[in-house]
Amino acid sequence: MSAGFWSSGPGLAVVLGLVFAAAFVVTWMLVGTGERRRRERSILRVLGRRRREAREEGPKESRSHWVPEALVGVGQRFAVATGFSASLDERLEQAGIKMLAGEFLTIVALAAVAGAVFGALILPNIVFVLIVAGVAAIVPFAWLGWARRKRQNALNDQLADTLSILASSLRAGYSFLQALDTVAKEIGEPSAHEFQRVVAEIRLGRPVDEALSAMALRVGSDDLKWAVIAINVQRQVGGNLAEVLDIVGNTVRERGYLRRLVRVLSAEGRLSIAILCSLPPLLLLYQAIINPEYVRLLFTHPLGILMVIGAVIMMGIGVFWMTRIVRIDV
């Protein structure tokens, strides 16, 4: 589209319509993302837990009936049709985000629309608009990956203390289910939520081995997977489970110390990656705002378009190698 279209009345109407639609859908999304929280509170009420919290939050639950099923239905059907639903639901669950795959894809689409509108207002060129829309669509996925890594790191840091509490409870004479319930009460978030869910599943009739294995798969932590395998094997063959938990806990603690050491030593490299990745697009955006004519040739001239494509490819290769250099498996 030409610059004259965006400065005309129909162009302004299109922009205002897109902004209004994005704001409307975001409002409905904020109202409807509490559906999964309502289901979890319902399960806890059936098990007789958190009754006081349920009574206190009773007036708030009436708002969860306003679920925007029609708005997220298209996104959910797209996620199921393309095969994104299962993997995206798993990643959202690992990140601790109470959201469905359709809701997340709707947010991605809204971010792309907002980026396209923003790019059209700065530089009305189709190539520039598509680039800004693509970058804006990547932002929710980047936020999801950050939240997922943050939660997994928190779970790994708490795992040694979790195993210590579990071993101490077994030595005190508790049954294994009572020890898991003690861990769920004593440990902090996010481990408390995961163990509360395990206890709830076991009380509903799910085998202990399956509930623990499902938690390890859901969390996505290698340390937790090894700890669960050790617990399941020891419960099947017999023996002193508390002693095994102490050994696994000490191993996990040493691995956590080594992991934190590697994280500190690679902090400079990760910071350099963040700066080098953000500097070119931010400079391009700055130039597009203060001097659009200077940047316009990159998106209107064939040679400029080839330069942009080459820069994106070379930057992608550089980011790939830099991330492989600073990523050290422990």
Side-chain angles (χ1 to χ4, degrees), residues 175-242:
S175 65
F176 187 71
L177 180 59
Q178 290 175 333
L180 289 176
D181 191 34
T182 302
V183 170
K185 293 177 180 178
E186 297 296 332
I187 202 67
E189 293 292 343
S191 296
H193 173 76
E194 295 295 336
F195 280 92
Q196 286 173 2
R197 180 168 176 176
V198 169
V199 173
E201 291 177 352
I202 295 173
R203 288 178 176 175
L204 288 174
R206 190 173 190 179
V208 178
D209 297 347
E210 292 184 7
L212 291 175
S213 300
M215 178 184 65
L217 183 62
R218 182 172 60 248
V219 170
S221 171
D222 292 334
D223 291 347
L224 184 58
K225 290 179 182 177
W226 296 333
V228 168
I229 290 174
I231 292 173
N232 291 337
V233 171
Q234 191 67 19
R235 292 185 70 253
Q236 292 176 2
V237 302
N240 191 349
L241 182 57

Side-chain angles (χ1 to χ4, degrees), residues 17-219:
L18 291 176
V19 172
F20 175 78
F24 178 76
V25 175
V26 168
T27 303
W28 277 100
M29 288 292 298
L30 292 176
V31 175
T33 51
E35 174 63 15
R36 187 171 294 181
R37 291 193 185 95
R38 186 186 67 82
R39 291 198 298 266
E40 291 179 356
R41 287 197 296 266
S42 299
I43 293 175
L44 293 174
R45 286 201 308 272
V46 172
L47 296 173
R49 298 173 59 97
R50 293 187 178 180
R51 294 178 180 175
R52 181 178 179 182
E53 294 181 7
R55 287 195 299 267
E56 292 177 354
E57 297 180 2
K60 298 180 181 179
E61 292 181 2
S62 60
R63 291 182 293 180
S64 62
H65 295 289
W66 296 93
V67 181
E69 295 291 343
L71 296 177
V72 300
V74 176
Q76 189 66 31
R77 287 193 296 270
F78 176 80
V80 173
T82 55
F84 290 155
S85 180
S87 61
L88 191 54
D89 281 333
E90 182 180 356
R91 293 172 62 185
L92 289 169
E93 196 167 20
Q94 291 176 353
I97 300 175
K98 310 299 181 181
M99 189 180 296
L100 299 175
E103 296 172 335
F104 183 79
L105 290 180
T106 304
I107 291 179
V108 172
L110 291 175
V113 171
V117 173
F118 179 73
L121 293 176
I122 295 177
L123 183 63
N125 180 271
I126 186 61
V127 178
F128 182 78
V129 169
L130 290 177
I131 292 176
V132 176
V135 173
I138 295 175
V139 171
F141 287 100
W143 168 66
L144 174 61
W146 173 81
R148 182 167 171 262
R149 289 191 300 271
K150 181 180 178 181
R151 191 170 187 267
Q152 286 180 345
N153 291 334
L155 287 166
N156 289 329
D157 294 339
Q158 292 177 334
L159 183 57
D161 296 334
T162 299
L163 296 176
S164 299
I165 296 174
L166 192 60
S168 301
S169 301
L170 293 175
R171 289 195 183 94
Y174 287 3
S175 65
F176 187 71
L177 180 59
Q178 290 175 333
L180 289 176
D181 191 34
T182 302
V183 170
K185 293 177 180 178
E186 297 296 332
I187 202 67
E189 293 292 343
S191 296
H193 173 76
E194 295 295 336
F195 280 92
Q196 286 173 2
R197 180 168 176 176
V198 169
V199 173
E201 291 177 352
I202 295 173
R203 288 178 176 175
L204 288 174
R206 190 173 190 179
V208 178
D209 297 347
E210 292 184 7
L212 291 175
S213 300
M215 178 184 65
L217 183 62
R218 182 172 60 248
V219 170

Side-chain angles (χ1 to χ4, degrees), residues 257-267 270 326-330:
Y257 170 76
L258 184 59
R259 188 183 297 109
R260 288 190 293 270
L261 180 62
V262 171
R263 194 183 307 169
V264 171
L265 294 177
S266 61
R270 289 184 284 111
V326 301
R327 182 180 298 174
I328 302 174
D329 294 331
V330 179

